[in-house]
Amino acid sequence: MGATISAIEYHFPERAYTNDDLGLEFPDYDFQRFEEKVGIRVRYLAGPNETALDLAIAACEKLFARVERDSIDYVLYCTQSPEYILPTTACILQDKLGLRKNIGAFDFNLGCSGYTYGVSFAKGLIETGQAANVLLVTAETYSKFLHPLDRSNRSIFGDAASATLIQRSEQESIGKFLFGTDGSGYDKLIIRNGGARNPVDFHPEMIVYGTENTYTHNDLYMNGPAILDFTNHKIPGFIQEVLAANGIESGQADQFILHQANAFMLNFIRKRLKVDSDHFYINLADGGNTVSSTIPIALKDYSQNNQNKLENILLVGFGVGLSWCGGLISIDQKL
């Protein structure tokens, strides 16, 4: 008995925000050069009263146009944009979607490594006989955490949600996953205020970092150079470890689909691995960095644009935490 990814759907908010739009706010910055280097042309932003849960519901309803909702017996909801501090948003999602009540549901707070963690969680639930059909949902609205004058992060992050059906299968289509954690880097991508350690500051100090980017401790902060350094030093070697754990070499992987952080970073990793661009999927131009949703969006788009055939695809997520996770999957259909 094994597990397989059977279907994926995703949802963007209606509001598209282009580099031209950003250029009107930051006229001294060259967004054409940004697009060429980072690879992002447009990102989508949730509305003032639109939450990550709203996006998640929309993605799930797209999936249920193809999948029987009564078949779901476990919900895994990955978000760092919860509806409330408590209760778990997964319970609310179960009710909003009209799912059965005799199912499991929980949130897990992971960012860019969240999808790969979720696939591994689902595999474990299925292979231990605890579930047969797992709904893995990712949803983020990072735009709500960004200071209006934080040009760097506003140009990178977009909002989105995804819904993936992972099912019991006769074939073992989800291979071995490996994990990594370095909590000493927790402050490299962080919102300092609003949790138990530091309450929201109603008169926060304005802080300038990098190239005239502004934020407060109520907002998301990312130390871009530190994240880039972490990724460049850790992820290429980690990918080799994941390949070895699954008994293959890099040339035997049909496609590499990594967290879509930015094209510059991804191409650096690709060159370190000596992988041809045809086998290293990059698709963040339309949507930007959607955190835990980048991999399922890329995987869905890749499967839709390629022939139906069994393929070995390496999935790797990495980022906030610091956290990283990767594994090998195969697909034999359009997702």
Side-chain angles (χ1 to χ4, degrees):
M1 181 179 68
T4 188
I5 296 175
S6 299
I8 299 175
E9 294 293 344
Y10 61 82
H11 179 76
F12 289 122
E14 289 186 9
R15 183 189 176 195
Y17 202 69
T18 68
N19 290 338
D20 289 341
D21 294 324
L22 277 169
L24 296 175
E25 293 191 58
F26 303 98
D28 296 331
Y29 187 74
D30 187 348
F31 280 98
Q32 181 176 348
R33 183 172 179 273
F34 165 84
E35 183 174 333
E36 292 169 355
K37 181 178 180 179
V38 179
I40 299 171
R41 180 174 58 250
V42 61
R43 68 289 297 151
Y44 297 88
L45 308 180
N49 299 313
E50 189 174 35
T51 69
L53 176 61
D54 295 326
L55 303 183
I57 291 169
C60 290
E61 290 297 347
K62 289 181 181 179
L63 188 73
F64 291 142
R66 306 165 52 197
V67 173
E68 177 56 54
R69 74 180 67 222
D70 285 343
S71 69
I72 302 301
D73 49 23
Y74 219 107
V75 177
L76 303 176
Y77 184 57
C78 177
T79 189
Q80 295 183 316
S81 309
E83 198 79 348
Y84 306 101
I85 293 176
L86 59 88
T88 175
T89 309
C91 293
I92 304 172
L93 182 62
Q94 171 271 331
D95 179 64
K96 296 290 187 182
L97 294 175
L99 302 181
R100 301 189 338 250
K101 294 182 179 179
N102 60 333
I103 67 172
F106 73 85
D107 293 0
F108 60 105
N109 181 331
L110 277 172
C112 309
S113 64
Y115 186 76
T116 46
Y117 261 88
V119 171
S120 181
F121 290 162
K123 169 185 166 74
L125 288 167
I126 290 168
E127 293 187 349
T128 54
Q130 298 178 79
N133 298 287
V134 178
L135 175 64
L136 170 60
V137 182
T138 64
E140 293 294 353
T141 51
Y142 263 32
S143 69
K144 296 180 183 294
F145 306 147
L146 303 180
H147 193 281
L149 298 180
D150 188 350
R151 174 188 51 75
S152 291
N153 284 328
R154 287 186 60 202
S155 63
I156 293 170
F157 290 107
D159 302 332
S162 76
T164 300
L165 176 65
I166 302 174
Q167 294 184 293
R168 181 183 295 156
S169 170
E170 293 300 319
Q171 287 188 320
E172 196 170 273
S173 300
I174 299 177
K176 188 169 184 178
F177 276 64
L178 301 182
F179 310 90
T181 305
D182 181 5
S184 69
Y186 78 95
D187 59 350
K188 306 308 179 190
L189 209 169
I190 188 172
I191 301 173
R192 291 186 179 274
N193 293 347
R197 178 63 58 186
N198 302 308
V200 171
D201 186 348
F202 291 101
H203 303 284
E205 175 188 1
M206 301 287 285
I207 303 168
V208 176
Y209 75 98
T211 309
E212 299 181 351
N213 294 299
T214 301
Y215 82 114
T216 77
H217 285 328
N218 292 340
D219 308 308
L220 183 143
Y221 163 76
M222 180 170 69
N223 184 330
I227 295 292
L228 180 63
D229 185 66
F230 145 70
T231 304
N232 290 343
H233 281 84
K234 178 59 65 176
I235 300 307
F238 176 68
I239 288 173
Q240 297 291 2
E241 293 173 12
V242 174
L243 291 168
N246 284 279
I248 68 171
E249 299 178 354
S250 61
Q252 296 173 283
D254 296 297
Q255 196 64 227
F256 292 75
I257 299 181
L258 277 59
H259 165 53
Q260 304 289 296
N262 71 69
F264 175 80
M265 177 187 291
L266 291 171
N267 278 311
F268 180 90
I269 295 172
R270 179 182 65 79
K271 292 172 184 177
R272 282 279 302 275
L273 295 172
K274 298 180 180 178
V275 175
D276 187 273
S277 58
D278 289 341
H279 298 278
F280 202 96
Y281 196 63
I282 299 177
N283 81 325
L284 75 168
D286 184 20
N289 182 340
T290 56
V291 198
S292 56
S293 294
T294 69
I295 292 176
I297 290 172
L299 183 57
K300 167 78 172 182
D301 289 351
Y302 173 74
S303 76
Q304 293 294 309
N305 294 324
N306 288 272
Q307 296 298 318
N308 291 341
K309 61 180 180 179
L310 186 66
E311 296 197 70
N312 290 324
I313 300 176
L314 194 81
L315 305 180
V316 181
F318 48 85
V320 57
L322 299 169
S323 171
W324 58 101
C325 171
L328 193 73
I329 68 165
S330 62
I331 57 173
D332 59 1
Q333 63 180 347
K334 292 186 183 295
L335 296 174

